[in-house]
Amino acid sequence: MLLKRFLYLGYYFKKMNWKKYNLFLNHVNKVYGVSKPVLFLNSVGNSLKYNISPLEYFLFHFFEKNSVEKAKWAGTGFMYEYQKLMNPLSTRETLLNKAKFLKHNAAFITHKWLEIENGDFDRLREFVESVQGKKIVLKNIAGNCGIGVQVIDTKNTSVDNIIALAKQHNLTLVEEFIYQHDELSRLSPSALNTVRIFTQIVNDKVVILGTRLRISVNSNVDNLAAGNMAAAVDEKTGVIVRPAIYSDITKEPESVHPITGVNIVGFHIPNWDLVLQKVKEIALHNKENRSVGWDIAVTNDGVDFIEGNHDWCKLVYQLPVGKGLKDELMKYL
């Protein structure tokens, strides 16, 4: 096992966002008075001991936790092993490929979409004309974390420019922009703010592991990795129960949206009963993948699904509730 942890450590160093790592290291050094060499060694040592990445040493606030508390957190190494078991490589293709996801789950998708195949970008021209001047979203079929997503108002952009942009960035999935519920626009109008629900299949039944709202902060996406927030939602009521968090440890949690001034704590997500009903239905429709993080749009008319994630984010899962949830997942191993 130790050899595997060293291999993981090599991977973490290779993929490390060193700018963010140094930002966090300098922040903790300044605020907590711990020397930088000690913090570096602790982040490496904790990575090996608790199966987390060195960056997660800071994200999980391990610099102020004891060994008992640290052992409760599910880090990248644990999640990789867990999700590989729950969502095998042989079954996760419908989650990896956004177009295949939309095809497989057509009964749960209410917005228009189009996959541009074989470089036939003329079909994009037809699609833009079909949505009659509304907004569209261009994506990479295999993209994640909102990287490369382009939201375009077709009223203000020519079709030729849209096609050129899609070709330039290999954006071969186009979707009709989903207009969120008026209440969610009141909270944050800059992007589609999606509900993230984590489900687990147990004996053909759906267990909900957690419910969160991803909240945009003056951004056209709502991903935590893009500088936005996530908040814990009470599963029974659909009400946000804690301040929203960032994945930037230099920023404090927010009880009120910093742009709109709308209260986050106490905010009620509309159509909540329908959200829970539909997420259970789609989870059973995809039960070959036993543990999925679903991104759900809540609209004035109901709910719509954006995607399902086989490698759902341990940060969105744990940070909004301020505690490690590895024990909850261990039940299903």
Side-chain angles (χ1 to χ4, degrees), residues 25-39 63:
L25 183 142
N26 288 328
H27 173 75
V28 176
N29 165 251
K30 181 179 179 181
V31 174
Y32 291 83
V34 184
S35 73
K36 294 179 184 180
V38 168
L39 287 170
F63 47 85

Side-chain angles (χ1 to χ4, degrees), residues 155-168:
K155 293 179 182 177
N156 303 323
T157 310
S158 71
V159 178
D160 288 336
N161 285 341
I162 293 172
I163 292 174
L165 180 67
K167 286 181 177 179
Q168 180 183 354

Side-chain angles (χ1 to χ4, degrees), residues 115-265:
E115 180 185 8
I116 301 166
E117 299 179 277
N118 303 317
D120 186 8
F121 283 90
D122 282 339
R123 298 190 66 202
L124 178 56
R125 186 183 302 276
E126 296 171 8
F127 184 90
V128 172
E129 292 172 354
S130 75
V131 297
Q132 300 177 339
K134 297 179 181 179
K135 291 181 181 179
I136 61 171
V137 182
L138 291 173
K139 298 178 180 179
N140 183 300
I141 280 179
N144 55 31
C145 297
I147 297 172
V149 172
Q150 300 280 345
V151 179
I152 301 169
D153 189 339
T154 61
K155 293 179 182 177
N156 303 323
T157 310
S158 71
V159 178
D160 288 336
N161 285 341
I162 293 172
I163 292 174
L165 180 67
K167 286 181 177 179
Q168 180 183 354
H169 298 286
N170 193 34
L171 303 174
T172 56
L173 180 67
V174 56
E175 297 180 70
E176 180 184 13
F177 184 84
I178 300 172
Y179 290 89
Q180 65 190 348
H181 195 285
D182 293 342
E183 271 297 284
L184 288 164
S185 287
R186 184 174 69 87
L187 174 66
S188 182
S190 65
L192 177 65
N193 303 286
T194 56
V195 175
R196 168 67 64 88
I197 297 184
F198 310 99
T199 60
Q200 181 76 38
I201 299 294
V202 182
N203 298 325
D204 287 336
K205 294 184 179 180
V206 181
V207 175
I208 293 181
L209 300 174
T211 52
R212 314 284 183 256
L213 180 65
R214 305 195 303 174
I215 305 169
S216 60
V217 183
N218 201 28
S219 170
N220 68 351
V221 296
D222 65 352
N223 304 76
L224 200 62
N228 299 297
M229 301 184 292
V233 180
D234 182 83
E235 179 188 335
K236 294 181 180 180
T237 64
V239 173
I240 295 176
V241 293
R242 292 169 59 97
I245 56 84
Y246 298 94
S247 62
D248 182 345
I249 67 169
T250 68
K251 295 182 178 180
E252 294 296 321
E254 307 273 15
S255 295
V256 176
H257 195 285
I259 305 297
T260 64
V262 174
N263 287 334
I264 293 173
V265 176

Side-chain angles (χ1 to χ4, degrees), residues 75-105:
T76 295
F78 173 85
M79 293 305 301
Y80 169 76
E81 295 160 7
Y82 184 84
Q83 290 163 338
K84 189 175 181 180
L85 179 64
M86 295 297 162
N87 311 314
L89 297 176
S90 60
T91 65
R92 62 172 62 168
E93 182 63 20
T94 53
L95 300 177
L96 280 169
N97 183 297
K98 297 182 188 300
K100 289 184 178 180
F101 171 83
L102 292 167
K103 290 175 186 176
H104 180 68
N105 297 287

